[in-house]
Amino acid sequence: SIASRTGNPMSNLSQMLLTLERAGGSWEQLQAERDQRSIANLARAAQEIFTQARMTATKESAASEDRMAAATLLCRSREYRQAGVGVLASFLKPQFAMEIQAQALTALRESGAKDVPTILGQSWPELSVAMQERVLDCWMSRRDWTEDVLARLERKEIVSASIDPTHRERLARHATKVIATRAAKVFSSVGDPSRAQVVEEYRKALA
């Protein structure tokens, strides 16, 4: 696959733009400054790679690694982010290897897209216990996302007993008092989930 080759342009550009974002810049700023001779060639080459990424990300016959690299790159652009997030979400399925799911989850977290919590909620019932723990790490990486998972627990869309002890404690001891208080209430009567609770949660998600 393209992504497995050394010097894959999509992966390289994605990493460059991620580094740029962490420094306060963006792909959009780079485009705005493309008339400057020093970055004109870079901006032009980057646009060509984005065009390739748009085609690869939606090409179902392409290797998973290539589609992943393409979708991750698309998330670095506000213009293409929604498309990239949609492709990444499709990898949060049990038919994909844990490594692929984990890569998609990392890219979703880095995207910061507002619909990531919804994607995590929809994917939750299908995921393995090990993958659910990684999803919780992602869900709890931002305050508004943490509030989203708490709201789902309060609405019983997620069985509270399905949250592992480590993440329960992290929520109950959250630095934000309101979150900690809500979490303590959610987990105050946690026991082992009944068979009926588990079946009902997964039935709704898979209907």
Side-chain angles (χ1 to χ4, degrees), residues 60-82:
E60 294 189 1
S61 60
S64 296
E65 294 84 354
D66 293 341
R67 296 187 66 208
M68 181 77 67
T72 300
L73 173 58
L74 293 180
C75 288
R76 304 284 180 247
S77 164
R78 286 194 293 268
E79 181 180 357
Y80 306 130
R81 183 168 296 147
Q82 198 63 33

Side-chain angles (χ1 to χ4, degrees), residues 115-180:
D115 49 349
V116 168
T118 298
I119 290 169
L120 300 182
Q122 292 171 341
S123 303
W124 176 266
E126 296 184 86
L127 302 175
S128 67
V129 172
M131 196 63 212
Q132 285 181 340
E133 291 181 6
R134 295 192 184 201
V135 164
L136 285 170
D137 285 337
C138 176
W139 230 331
M140 293 170 60
S141 65
R142 295 169 181 255
R143 174 171 173 169
D144 54 333
W145 294 4
T146 301
E147 291 174 342
D148 176 87
V149 72
L150 268 176
R152 292 172 189 274
L153 285 162
E154 289 167 340
R155 295 194 299 266
K156 301 188 186 303
E157 294 176 11
I158 296 176
V159 176
S160 57
S162 68
I163 307 300
D164 65 278
T166 298
H167 286 94
R168 284 185 216 166
E169 185 174 2
R170 281 178 57 188
L171 284 167
R173 296 189 176 187
H174 199 279
T176 302
K177 187 175 181 180
V178 173
I179 290 177

Side-chain angles (χ1 to χ4, degrees), residues 7-69:
N8 168 32
M10 287 187 290
S11 295
N12 290 345
L13 179 59
S14 182
Q15 186 58 49
M16 187 202 80
L17 293 176
L18 177 59
T19 303
L20 187 64
E21 287 173 12
R22 289 171 175 169
S26 69
W27 161 241
E28 286 70 26
Q29 288 177 356
L30 194 64
Q31 282 186 305
E33 298 169 0
R34 64 188 306 164
D35 57 333
Q36 297 180 23
R37 184 176 300 178
S38 60
I39 63 172
N41 290 338
L42 173 61
R44 185 161 47 249
Q47 185 58 63
E48 292 176 358
I49 296 171
F50 265 111
T51 298
Q52 179 188 358
R54 291 172 62 193
M55 293 187 293
T56 302
T58 56
K59 187 177 181 181
E60 294 189 1
S61 60
S64 296
E65 294 84 354
D66 293 341
R67 296 187 66 208
M68 181 77 67

